[in-house]
Amino acid sequence: MNGILILGRTITAHGRAYVRKSLQAHREIVHGGGIRFETGVGAGYAGRTPKCSLVRYLAIKSHPTAADWSEHDFYSTADSTLTSLHDSIEVQSDKLGGEFDIELSMGVLTVTLGNGLGSYVVNTQTPNRQLWLSSPKSGPARYYWDFRERQWRSSRDDSYLREKLNGELTELCGISIPLQEEGDDS
Amino acid sequence: MSLSLLNYARVAGSGRWALGVMAGNSRAYHQKVIDHYENPRNVGSLSKEDPDVGTGLVGAPACGDVMKLQIRVDKEGNIVESKFKTFGCGSAIASSSLATEMVKGMNVNDAVKIKNAEIASELKLPPVKLHCSMLAEDAIKAAVKNLEEKRAKSDLNEAEAEAEATTA
């Protein structure tokens, strides 16, 4: 997969031509890399690899900072974020009623606020080295790791995951989220 | 494999297990998702070379979701036809199927205003599946953008041809 992501975020006309020419090579990487599709057979494609999608994938989804981030290192960063979020929310659970529930399991953090406030889900999305947030207030969002800032940032508008959660949870139920991870002085 | 899952698979028929895997004991899809999954609306392709067709292709194969949504737009900017092909989970298929139904008859200026929340609430998607509705929103926007680029390019070509004709 690393070979595919190297191209980076900004695709110029030259880049597009390059991608077109390299499509065959990418297909080989994808098949050779053993990436399998596990979410089922969809209408239309019937399990075949939709070949053109790679071009769009490269054009939109890749962040150069994640280019050669190993799965192990990604997961350890993601997991420490999720654990830290879990712990900072859990210690404030007295601000919520009996329906409140929080669970961190297999790289998925689920926070059920109760009182009709809905649920937050943050899950690790290993293939593209992202964290995905589902918020009852603002809907879905994807976050990539900014190595320089050492923060998860929105793939849409570069806003910060922690700021977003802090803003929404403070407003919904008075729970605050530290804007930096504990033990991270940088 | 639980008994309920086996029963479910038998009812659903046609050997499609993908849906049944998610539909455990308590985490079943909403009926509306199942309906769109079982009877997807507007599956297929439009010729992407046609000058009045816009194609939106979004998602990442590595993540398991790829969505292609196409629109055919008349001179007034109204969407007269829409088709989709989606590779992904039941919610992704249902979201794109619903999206094609929503955009038909709409002006492109209104279609790009469709929000993922409209799709998610119509299909009663659970929190983890909100991302599927976002993909459908992105697919609509990408299709409209593709058509606009196509039209801008063809306008440019026409202008060039005209300029050449004038000089000749």
Side-chain angles (χ1 to χ4, degrees):
Chain A
M1 273 312 283
N2 290 345
I4 293 179
L5 289 167
I6 276 164
L7 280 164
R9 158 166 48 180
T10 317
I11 299 285
T12 58
H14 174 76
R16 275 193 294 275
Y18 172 77
V19 168
R20 258 195 307 278
K21 272 184 249 161
S22 324
L23 195 57
Q24 187 58 43
H26 286 311
R27 279 219 298 272
E28 282 163 18
I29 292 169
V30 166
H31 291 303
I35 294 161
R36 291 182 301 120
F37 302 101
E38 296 178 327
T39 42
V41 175
Y45 281 122
R48 283 179 291 120
T49 310
K51 55 187 174 189
C52 302
S53 60
L54 279 171
V55 175
R56 183 61 64 167
Y57 173 47
L58 288 164
I60 297 174
K61 298 300 175 199
S62 54
H63 277 280
T65 48
D68 42 15
W69 202 11
S70 80
E71 188 170 324
H72 177 269
D73 292 347
F74 158 76
Y75 201 81
S76 101
T77 303
D79 193 55
S80 82
T81 299
L82 292 183
T83 307
S84 144
L85 289 174
H86 172 274
D87 294 352
S88 42
I89 294 170
E90 196 175 41
V91 293
Q92 300 173 69
S93 60
D94 55 326
K95 293 175 178 157
L96 289 150
E99 292 167 44
F100 169 77
D101 188 45
I102 186 161
E103 191 194 355
L104 174 57
S105 161
M106 313 274 292
V108 184
L109 175 66
T110 309
V111 186
T112 310
L113 295 176
N115 299 331
L117 296 174
S119 299
Y120 280 82
V121 179
V122 188
N123 67 279
T124 47
Q125 194 69 14
T126 307
N128 49 14
R129 306 292 189 261
Q130 288 179 338
L131 285 184
W132 285 14
L133 165 73
S134 174
S135 153
K137 198 170 152 64
S138 56
R142 301 171 167 206
Y143 293 86
Y144 69 95
W145 180 251
D146 183 327
F147 280 96
R148 201 168 54 84
E149 303 253 346
R150 301 192 56 72
Q151 287 263 21
W152 295 95
R153 305 185 69 174
S154 164
S155 59
R156 229 158 251 262
D157 57 14
D158 286 335
S159 60
Y160 299 98
L161 172 65
R162 283 176 169 275
E163 277 184 19
K164 167 104 152 191
L165 284 173
N166 182 52
E168 290 191 9
L169 289 172
T170 303
E171 196 184 321
L172 283 176
C173 52
I175 283 182
S176 58
I177 302 286
L179 297 181
Q180 297 284 332
E181 298 202 12
E182 295 87 355
D184 194 335
D185 300 326
S186 57
Chain B
M1 212 145 291
S2 72
L3 187 62
S4 65
L5 181 58
L6 289 173
N7 282 343
Y8 180 79
R10 203 180 306 138
V11 174
S14 58
R16 283 190 283 197
W17 283 88
L19 190 60
V21 173
M22 269 305 289
N25 292 331
S26 58
R27 277 249 171 152
Y29 277 113
H30 190 271
Q31 190 52 49
K32 283 184 179 170
V33 174
I34 295 172
D35 179 38
H36 274 278
Y37 177 85
E38 296 281 321
N39 309 294
R41 330 293 200 263
N42 311 309
V43 174
S45 288
L46 304 171
S47 164
K48 70 176 193 307
E49 309 302 334
D50 285 4
D52 59 346
V53 168
T55 303
L57 191 52
V58 295
C63 302
D65 283 315
V66 179
M67 203 176 268
K68 183 180 82 175
L69 190 146
Q70 295 181 298
I71 49 172
R72 190 184 297 282
V73 179
D74 69 13
K75 291 221 156 44
E76 282 75 48
N78 297 314
I79 297 169
V80 293
E81 198 180 3
S82 181
K83 296 273 184 202
F84 85 97
K85 276 191 184 182
T86 291
F87 179 91
C89 69
S91 296
I93 290 164
S95 294
S96 41
S97 168
L98 177 64
T100 57
E101 286 211 311
M102 286 169 85
V103 299
K104 254 201 277 183
M106 253 188 194
N107 191 278
V108 286
N109 296 323
D110 297 320
V112 292
K113 289 181 197 146
I114 292 176
K115 302 301 287 180
N116 63 84
E118 295 171 51
I119 296 165
S121 72
E122 170 67 20
L123 295 172
K124 309 267 184 276
L125 296 181
V128 280
K129 294 293 178 185
L130 294 188
H131 299 285
C132 304
S133 60
M134 181 61 100
L135 209 55
E137 178 191 319
D138 289 346
I140 297 171
K141 291 199 169 96
V144 172
K145 187 162 176 263
N146 174 250
L147 184 74
E148 280 168 356
E149 283 169 359
K150 226 185 226 183
R151 290 200 162 154
K153 204 175 158 193
S154 98
D155 285 352
L156 192 69
N157 286 347
E158 265 172 42
E160 271 172 14
E162 215 168 278
E164 259 173 49
T166 327
T167 29

